[in-house]
Amino acid sequence: MTNEQIVSEIRNGYSVTEYMQLLYESNLLLIKKFIKPFAAYEPMENLLQEDYFGLWEAVQRYESSKQVRFMTYAHFWIYTTVRNEMRFYCPTSIQYQGETDKLQQSCRQNKERTGKRAKHSGDCGLYWHI
């Protein structure tokens, strides 16, 4: 069964949970590639949970009449969902790619120290002078 057929079954309401699980599991390697850029900032288990929401969003919005393969379309929604969630963990991580090592270390230290997500770069101990 192709991804497009699985999406059609989900949208028609047939065994939604089972078909979502099938879609997720059959594309897990590709999904992991989509979220790999964020793995330095957050544990993979958390990212895998978040990308499920992106996959669900893609299923809801996919239009087979556009002649685009589903996973090509889903890439946008998975990446966007994870990226938006990452803004809560460490907002500047997405904006300042050149400082990733320092930012990653500071954010993890902050999270370990406080047990909370950073709300802005100052919470990570970083201050940007532009």
Side-chain angles (χ1 to χ4, degrees):
M1 187 173 246
T2 67
N3 290 332
E4 291 75 16
Q5 291 170 329
I6 295 171
V7 169
S8 177
E9 294 295 315
I10 293 169
R11 292 186 63 166
N12 289 331
Y14 300 115
S15 304
V16 174
T17 306
E18 292 172 23
Y19 279 121
M20 274 301 293
Q21 189 67 26
L22 175 64
L23 184 64
Y24 185 77
E25 289 174 358
S26 62
N27 293 290
L28 189 56
L29 291 176
L30 187 57
I31 290 170
K32 285 182 179 181
K33 280 182 122 175
F34 295 163
I35 62 173
K36 190 175 182 177
F38 303 105
Y41 304 103
E42 189 63 23
M44 188 61 88
E45 297 81 29
N46 294 353
L47 295 173
L48 288 173
Q49 288 178 356
E50 199 58 42
D51 69 22
Y52 191 85
F53 295 118
L55 187 64
W56 176 253
E57 190 69 31
V59 166
Q60 298 305 309
R61 295 175 183 258
Y62 180 69
E63 295 178 25
S64 59
S65 63
K66 300 286 185 184
Q67 300 299 316
V68 176
R69 296 182 82 182
F70 174 73
M71 286 311 291
T72 302
Y73 182 78
H75 176 265
F76 170 80
W77 288 106
I78 292 168
Y79 187 87
T80 301
T81 303
V82 172
R83 181 173 166 224
N84 288 342
E85 183 63 20
M86 286 300 298
R87 290 181 183 190
F88 292 109
Y89 289 108
C90 196
T92 55
S93 64
I94 307 306
Q95 299 169 8
Y96 300 101
Q97 291 295 327
E99 296 285 331
T100 55
D101 291 339
K102 184 177 178 185
L103 186 59
Q104 174 187 351
Q105 182 180 6
S106 295
C107 288
R108 284 195 178 153
Q109 287 171 350
N110 177 64
K111 201 170 177 184
E112 289 171 5
R113 187 178 72 243
T114 64
K116 296 179 183 177
R117 300 176 180 170
K119 292 191 185 221
H120 55 76
S121 61
D123 291 342
C124 290
L126 298 175
Y127 298 93
W128 301 97
H129 302 286
I130 299 176

